[in-house]
Amino acid sequence: MAAVAKRLVKSNAIPTTSTVLYTVPNGVTTMVKALTVCNSNSIVVNLTLLFAGTYVISNYPIKPSETITLPFMDQVLLSGETISGSATAGALNCYISGKEVT
């Protein structure tokens, strides 16, 4: 088994409609390790994230210039599963890291 550290998502503006941000490749299991989101807007922006179709963050308000980090997520995604998300305004920067295991 090989585990490769990887940036899973790097987005400068999470879309306002639910969009797939990452799909686990065929034959791979992904471990989501950490998430950082920054609101570079001047208004409150609400964040929604789903892992494998399950809400992990639902309509969470992030203040202007605020950064949130979830450093120890340890969530598992299986082959073909996705990370998807949306924001109420397109100004949320998002960075998700993890490992892909083959």
Side-chain angles (χ1 to χ4, degrees):
M1 241 187 222
V4 178
K6 187 166 185 182
R7 175 179 59 215
L8 305 175
V9 176
K10 180 185 176 200
S11 175
N12 292 329
I14 295 176
T16 57
T17 58
S18 188
T19 302
V20 172
L21 304 171
Y22 170 79
T23 302
V24 179
N26 236 359
V28 172
T29 298
T30 296
M31 299 279 301
V32 180
K33 301 301 287 178
L35 158 76
T36 300
V37 178
C38 176
N39 181 0
S40 58
N41 208 331
S42 60
I43 61 170
V44 172
V45 178
N46 293 350
L47 170 68
T48 297
L49 280 179
L50 294 89
F51 290 1
T54 301
Y55 287 92
V56 292
I57 299 174
S58 180
N59 211 30
Y60 183 81
I62 302 175
K63 297 174 189 171
S65 300
E66 181 178 44
T67 298
I68 62 165
T69 297
L70 303 174
F72 303 107
M73 295 193 73
D74 293 331
Q75 300 298 315
V76 176
L77 296 171
L78 304 177
S79 180
E81 293 182 330
T82 63
I83 296 172
S84 58
S86 63
T88 53
L92 289 182
N93 300 306
C94 180
Y95 196 98
I96 303 174
S97 61
K99 293 182 181 180
E100 290 183 341
V101 180
T102 56

